């Protein structure tokens, strides 16, 4: 025990990380620090700097948003979780679907998969004109859970936490 008292500086960071992870997972999933960590292959960036502010994102901007989903019932664990994606469609843009290929203003955005990795069915987003205050977002990976699917849907302006700039 005496050895632990002398080496508290080794235990303190581990305890702090566990406490922050617990808060992030069970109390407040939306990031509050200016750094965002992306552990998924949805984007090629792993660390980004958040810019919180009222600016409306533009095409190509990276954003962090709190997931609400088009149909949250099949994915209740995702509710409120932060997602890190690129804005690919703005209000007024036209979304069309050819087979399972999703297009924004005629430009292919990617193929919508028929199933999740755990075999739950996925439905491509319905053709529409993006309404005011909504955005089409997408990750870089073909496996990204993004606006290509009705289950995820478009992102409302109010869901956006911040714009982000990748560090590496």
């Amino acid at each position: 025990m005496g050895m632990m008292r002398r080496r508290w500086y080794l235990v303190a960071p581990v305890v702090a990380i566990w406490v922050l992870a617990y808060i992030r997972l069970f109390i407040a999933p939306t990031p509050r620090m200016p750094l965002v960590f992306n552990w998924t292959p949805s984007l090629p960036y792993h660390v980004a700097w958040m810019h919180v502010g009222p600016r409306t994102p533009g095409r190509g901007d990276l954003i962090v948003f709190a997931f609400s989903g088009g149909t949250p019932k099949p994915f209740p664990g995702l509710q409120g979780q932060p997602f890190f994606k690129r804005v690919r469609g703005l209000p007024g843009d036209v979304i069309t679907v050819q087979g399972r290929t999703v297009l924004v203003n005629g430009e292919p955005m990617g193929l919508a998969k028929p199933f999740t990795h755990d075999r739950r069915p996925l439905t491509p987003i319905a053709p529409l004109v993006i309404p005011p205050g909504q955005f089409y977002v997408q990750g870089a990976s073909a496996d990204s859970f993004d606006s290509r699917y009705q289950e995820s849907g478009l992102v409302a302006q109010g869901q956006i936490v911040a714009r982000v700039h990748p560090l590496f």
Side-chain angles (χ1 to χ4, degrees):
M1 189 65 159
M3 183 68 93
M4 280 300 257
R5 285 189 193 143
R6 281 185 257 155
R7 302 220 177 169
W8 64 269
Y9 55 88
L10 297 174
V11 176
V14 173
V15 170
I17 289 169
W18 277 101
V19 168
L20 289 172
Y22 181 84
I23 289 169
R24 162 78 169 60
L25 288 172
F26 300 109
I27 299 172
T30 305
R32 304 281 185 237
M33 298 187 309
L35 283 178
V36 177
F37 300 94
N38 179 35
W39 305 113
T40 68
S42 65
L43 290 172
Y45 315 109
H46 299 291
V47 180
W49 186 262
M50 288 192 343
H51 292 275
V52 179
R55 184 180 169 270
T56 301
R59 192 179 317 277
D61 284 352
L62 291 168
I63 61 169
V64 170
F65 64 95
F67 181 82
S68 82
T71 55
K73 195 169 191 166
F75 305 97
L78 295 180
Q79 224 33 35
Q81 291 296 317
F83 275 46
F84 183 28
K85 307 284 182 198
R86 186 173 301 279
V87 175
R88 302 291 301 267
L90 301 173
D93 287 353
V94 178
I95 296 176
T96 54
V97 180
Q98 296 174 351
R100 292 195 79 82
T101 302
V102 179
L103 301 97
V104 174
N105 294 334
E107 181 183 337
M109 292 293 126
L111 189 65
K113 301 181 311 179
F115 300 100
T116 64
H117 68 282
D118 60 354
R119 306 303 294 164
R120 289 190 250 177
L122 289 171
T123 310
I125 191 168
L128 60 89
V129 175
I130 300 175
Q134 304 257 338
F135 301 90
Y136 177 96
V137 298
Q138 192 168 336
S141 168
D143 292 325
S144 181
F145 188 58
D146 51 38
S147 293
R148 287 178 287 183
Y149 308 102
Q150 286 183 19
E151 291 80 7
S152 178
L154 299 173
V155 173
Q157 177 80 38
Q159 291 173 253
I160 298 173
V161 175
R163 286 178 303 113
V164 293
H165 295 283
L167 299 176
F168 59 89

